[in-house]
Amino acid sequence: MIRIYNTLTQQKEEFRPIEPGKVRMYVCGMTVYDYCHLGHARVLVAFDVITRYLRHRGYEVNYVRNITDIDDKILRRADENGEPYSELTDRMIKAMHEDEARLGVLSPDEEPRATAYIDEIIAMIHKLIASGHAYAADNGDVYFAVDSFDDYGKLSKKKLEDLLAGARVDVQEAKRSPADFALWKAAKAGEVSWPSPWGDGRPGWHIECSAMSTCCLGDTFDIHGGGPDLLFPHHENEIAQSECATGHTFVNTWMHAGAIRVNKEKMSKSLGNFFTIREIMEKYPAEVVRYFLVSSHYRSQVDYSEENLAEAGRTLTRLYHALRGIVPAKAADVPESEHDQRFAEAMDDDFNTAGAIAVLHAVANEINQHRRDGREEDAKRSAAILVRLGGVLGLLQQDPEAFFQADTGGELSAEDIEALIQARADARKAKDFAEADRIRDELLEKGIILDDSREGTTWRKA
């Protein structure tokens, strides 16, 4: 039995999909006006792991993650760059796909773009106006009337009267109430726009996700996820407009990933502690970044620091050390074990990846013990379990040597290192131990550690 913390009810609940054996999940994706940052990586990796585990447990998952490819930020950035908005979004989408591929994030089953759903968005706005939940203003905008939905605030637990207290309406807006939000925005001079019954314009941000999610997954679906900053007002507004438009419950389970902090402060461009995914992966291998994100529960707050990334690298290295120099047994020959059961117990408890990783380290310790005892076949079977369970988290799928030798980042190429290892071997054979030690020290100074064994010498990054 999988139990998931539902933000709506603020408690863990037994997960019962609408259709037995099938899961329909929608996650708010990127607004593609810039490179993805560490907060985006947190959401991408968290819901990738959730999708992988649901499939591991036998569910057929339809995972939809949208792309917001039209909004104020996109138009401002395109104007600053002096380029069409579509060129900016195409470039950022390509970069996003590159980043997520390096992080081992699987592609969603569907990746709808807002600009491809303009007709569906207009149709939903029509329904809301016809049912009295929305109104067209004199300036060409269309607004959702928040006070027409009695359950407004049920996700965020905010009260409408508190939201209205002290709220102000911009002089350029034609809202009836400060809490009302835009469904359709009238186009300004020179802006990209689409024709509508209310004049040329473009959709508001919130209505985009309601239209895309219901078109892809139906009026009611199982899971809706996203980052912590989306809970209010974005997800709250999605609920209001979707349930008023369809007359049905919008989503059964709401999930939100935890926030990212940098050295215990909120990540912010104004504080100068804002990092893109690709900036971080210039310093650390992508799998180390993924391990860092996976090692904490998806709802917990994650503190990014050089020290924490370095520790993630060290602990992931220990897991790969257990697999080094061993050929795992065939997966089909290794039945489920006590480790699989403990792994499932952790992940069934609201996708507790921290507990699941503890199981990986227990398996790694078992491999090392088997090898010390000379039980190579047992070590191979345990290695197969480690690779199998690691794969559910998107980890430990590289050849260990590729992991240890990737991205040396120094002046020495792999060929240079191998040549020095051979020169050291020749020196040792000639009993010139001083020269052998000198070569070892030279490599160590350049961040390369040598590991000697009966089978020969291998190397890895420090």
Side-chain angles (χ1 to χ4, degrees):
M1 179 181 70
I2 297 176
R3 293 177 61 80
I4 302 176
Y5 182 87
N6 188 349
T7 309
L8 182 67
T9 61
Q10 297 187 336
Q11 62 184 5
K12 291 181 185 178
E13 300 172 342
E14 181 179 350
F15 178 59
R16 295 180 180 274
I18 298 166
E19 189 176 354
K22 296 184 179 181
V23 178
R24 286 176 282 162
M25 181 169 72
Y26 182 92
V27 173
C28 288
M30 309 305 122
T31 300
V32 285
Y33 70 99
D34 206 344
Y35 292 110
C36 294
H37 56 67
L38 188 58
H40 295 140
R42 171 76 156 145
V43 174
L44 288 169
V45 171
F47 286 97
D48 180 65
V49 169
I50 289 165
T51 302
R52 286 171 181 264
Y53 184 67
L54 290 171
R55 288 173 176 159
H56 174 72
R57 292 283 265 108
Y59 288 100
E60 180 183 324
V61 181
N62 184 6
Y63 176 26
V64 179
R65 192 187 70 220
N66 78 293
I67 292 174
T68 296
D69 61 346
I70 185 68
D71 92 327
D72 292 338
K73 292 178 181 178
I74 291 171
L75 295 180
R76 281 197 298 269
R77 182 60 57 83
D79 185 58
E80 291 168 3
N81 294 350
E83 64 180 328
Y85 86 96
S86 57
E87 288 186 10
L88 169 66
T89 56
D90 285 348
R91 188 170 71 255
M92 291 300 104
I93 290 169
K94 180 176 182 291
M96 177 186 71
H97 288 159
E98 292 170 352
D99 289 344
E100 65 185 23
R102 290 184 64 189
L103 283 171
V105 173
L106 303 175
S107 298
D109 297 290
E110 297 181 70
E111 196 172 47
R113 298 189 187 190
T115 55
Y117 283 77
I118 300 297
D119 289 345
E120 291 80 359
I121 290 168
I122 290 173
M124 182 171 275
I125 296 173
H126 259 303
K127 286 184 179 180
L128 291 169
I129 293 176
S131 59
H133 292 291
Y135 57 92
D138 294 338
N139 64 353
D141 292 345
V142 179
Y143 293 98
F144 181 87
V146 169
D147 61 4
S148 73
F149 182 55
D150 292 339
D151 285 339
Y152 192 82
K154 66 180 178 180
L155 179 67
S156 62
K157 313 308 176 193
K158 295 180 183 292
K159 295 181 179 179
L160 182 56
E161 54 266 32
D162 294 337
L163 295 172
L164 291 173
R168 294 181 298 177
V169 178
D170 189 289
V171 294
Q172 295 180 337
E173 295 180 313
K175 297 179 181 181
R176 294 175 184 170
S177 167
D180 295 349
F181 56 88
L183 301 173
W184 188 260
K185 296 183 176 184
K188 298 175 183 176
E191 269 189 353
V192 61
S193 64
W194 289 264
S196 83
W198 318 287
D200 291 351
R202 57 185 172 82
W205 176 36
H206 311 301
I207 195 70
E208 294 175 352
C209 279
S210 286
M212 287 185 282
S213 62
T214 53
C215 285
C216 294
L217 298 174
D219 290 350
T220 305
F221 51 93
D222 299 297
I223 297 173
H224 193 316
D229 55 323
L230 299 183
L231 194 156
F232 184 86
H234 184 54
H235 290 162
E236 193 73 71
N237 291 351
E238 277 191 70
I239 291 174
Q241 63 201 8
S242 299
E243 296 191 357
C244 287
T246 68
H248 300 121
T249 297
F250 181 38
V251 173
N252 288 340
T253 302
W254 285 87
M255 302 178 69
H256 293 88
I260 292 284
R261 289 169 65 86
V262 179
N263 293 319
K264 300 182 180 179
E265 291 186 305
K266 181 180 178 181
M267 187 174 70
S268 166
K269 287 184 178 179
S270 62
L271 294 175
N273 62 359
F274 183 88
F275 301 102
T276 66
I277 296 174
R278 46 189 57 200
E279 284 173 337
I280 295 169
M281 289 193 295
E282 286 177 2
K283 293 184 177 181
Y284 298 95
E287 190 170 355
V288 170
V289 178
R290 184 181 178 100
Y291 182 91
F292 165 71
L293 294 170
V294 170
S295 58
S296 298
H297 189 277
Y298 78 91
R299 284 193 290 115
S300 67
Q301 188 169 267
V302 173
D303 190 44
Y304 171 86
S305 68
E306 297 286 332
E307 180 182 346
N308 290 344
L309 260 293
E311 177 59 25
R314 289 189 289 268
T315 51
L316 181 60
T317 294
R318 286 197 289 272
L319 293 175
Y320 267 111
H321 255 302
L323 295 171
R324 198 172 195 184
I326 188 170
V327 178
K330 292 182 179 178
D333 296 336
V334 182
E336 285 200 1
S337 66
E338 179 183 343
H339 297 300
D340 291 87
Q341 294 170 9
R342 288 178 53 226
F343 184 91
E345 287 171 4
M347 292 295 286
D348 282 353
D349 182 15
D350 195 30
F351 309 101
N352 180 9
T353 51
I357 281 181
V359 175
L360 300 188
H361 284 282
V363 180
N365 291 339
E366 184 177 270
I367 294 170
N368 294 333
Q369 187 60 55
H370 287 327
R371 298 178 87 171
R372 285 192 294 269
D373 295 342
R375 298 162 60 185
E376 288 299 317
E377 292 305 311
D378 287 339
K380 290 180 180 180
R381 282 189 285 271
S382 294
I385 294 171
L386 182 55
V387 172
R388 176 169 68 209
L389 297 181
V392 179
L393 302 180
L395 300 169
L396 304 176
Q397 302 306 292
Q398 294 186 67
D399 178 270
E401 294 308 315
F403 170 79
F404 285 120
Q405 298 177 9
D407 302 323
T408 57
E411 61 213 66
L412 297 177
S413 66
E415 291 76 14
D416 293 334
I417 295 168
E418 293 292 348
L420 286 168
I421 289 174
Q422 183 59 52
R424 176 174 175 264
D426 293 342
R428 294 176 73 182
K429 188 174 182 180
K431 300 189 182 302
D432 188 351
F433 298 113
E435 174 63 9
D437 289 344
R438 187 199 65 76
I439 295 173
R440 186 186 191 100
D441 291 342
E442 176 188 343
L443 287 169
L444 186 59
E445 286 178 6
K446 294 177 179 178
I448 305 300
I449 297 174
L450 302 184
D451 294 314
D452 295 318
S453 68
R454 288 177 296 178
E455 288 75 26
T457 300
T458 55
W459 61 273
R460 58 188 170 90
K461 297 170 295 175

